[in-house]
Structures are given as structure tokens and as C-alpha cells.
Amino acid sequence: MNIAIYPGSFDPVHNGHLDVIERASKICDKVIVAVAVNRSKSGLFTMEERVDLIEKATEGISGIEVKSFEGLLVNFFQKENADAVIRGIRAVSDFEYEFQMALMNRSLDEELETIFMMPSQENIYLSSRIVKEVAHLNGNIDNFVPPVVKAALQEKIG
Ligand code: PNS
């Protein structure tokens, strides 16, 4: 059984994340969507809300588990006995940070392999930050997030 971890902040999960989760679920037996706890960075949604939204948004996809983790990704990777870490990559601008992170993680554990996946073109420009900005400014976010996240954003932002 191969297990992949898809880590991120997911504040909140959007269609670009879901696109990567769906692709990863086709090549892995189990995908653990891992919400990182960042105590120094307060987000719009709490950890519990992020986990809950991902669980609801991934209901139709098989082999998905949603968890949170604190501290180093490499420790969580070892604890879960995982085979790989999945990261979505959207554009050249993502590359430097992702490259740095993948090499740092590998230097912490030689077994940690990072697999990069590209979302489909219509989701390539999405980020949680930009979705929140559009929602704040009352823009239409129907094409960017699943209905459950849209409702949660509307409730948060008003
Ligand atoms: O969605 P994001 O914010 O780009 O995700 C970044 C995340 C959470 C995957 C990354 O910051 C992370 O792995 N944090 C855990 C702490 C850690 O292991 N840091 C060292 C890796 S370079």
C-alpha cells in the first residue's frame, strides 16, 4: 500500500488543492491531506474548520484521510509511514520555494521523496490568499471553491 502526504495550510481548501488531491488519489492507495499547524501565523479558519472543510470537500474521493500536524513535516511523514509527499506546483514562481523545501526535507530524511503535480489549467492561478481577497471584496468565487467552502467563507466574511 503506498501512502502519500499532501501537506499545506489549506486556509481554506480551494479547487486547485482538490484537483491535486484527486490526481494523487489515482496513483496512491491512501492520500493523507495534512493541515499544518502554524502557531505564529493566524489564518482565517481554525485548524478544526480547515480539517472539516477538507473532509466535506473530499467526500466523493476515495482513499483520503484528513489530519493535522504540528512541527516538522518530516516527523509526520515518518510517523505515518508514508512513501512520498505531494506538492502542487502552479508556475515557475512556485519553483524556488518548492525546490528549497523538497531538498531540505530530503536532507532531513533521505527517504522523503517529493512528487510535484500540476493542477489543470483552469485552476492554475488559484491560491487561498487570492480566493479570500475576492471573497472579501464580494466577488464571485463559484468557480474557485466547492459550495461548502463558499458557504463557510460567506459566514466568516459576511
Ligand atoms: O500551503 P503552504 O502554506 O504552502 O504549505 C507549506 C507547508 C505547511 C507544507 C510547509 O510550511 C511545511 O511543511 N511546514 C511544516 C514545518 C516544516 O517541516 N518545515 C521545514 C520544511 S522546509
Side-chain angles (χ1 to χ4, degrees), residues 10-117:
F10 304 108
D11 184 39
V13 67
H14 56 65
N15 289 348
H17 296 131
L18 294 171
D19 187 322
V20 170
I21 292 171
E22 238 179 296
R23 286 171 201 281
S25 78
K26 288 182 187 150
I27 57 166
C28 304
D29 300 309
K30 182 160 101 178
V31 178
I32 302 173
V33 183
V35 184
V37 178
N38 187 345
R39 300 224 177 266
S40 62
K41 199 170 120 187
S42 67
L44 180 63
F45 290 94
T46 65
M47 175 57 50
E48 292 72 26
E49 287 169 335
R50 294 179 208 192
V51 168
D52 181 57
L53 287 174
I54 301 168
E55 276 172 352
K56 287 180 175 143
T58 57
E59 254 165 20
I61 312 172
S62 63
I64 307 297
E65 260 181 43
V66 189
K67 296 188 175 182
S68 60
F69 74 101
E70 196 162 1
L72 285 175
L73 174 62
V74 71
N75 293 342
F76 183 71
F77 172 82
Q78 289 164 351
K79 187 172 115 249
E80 296 295 329
N81 232 333
D83 301 290
V85 165
I86 306 271
R87 289 287 288 170
I89 199 151
R90 294 164 298 189
V92 180
S93 52
D94 281 341
F95 181 77
E96 201 168 322
Y97 170 60
E98 294 298 335
F99 183 70
Q100 197 180 18
M101 204 157 65
L103 291 184
M104 172 55 82
N105 282 328
R106 188 195 276 165
S107 77
L108 294 171
D109 180 348
E110 187 58 37
E111 298 289 305
L112 194 155
E113 216 51 74
T114 303
I115 299 173
F116 294 107
M117 302 193 88

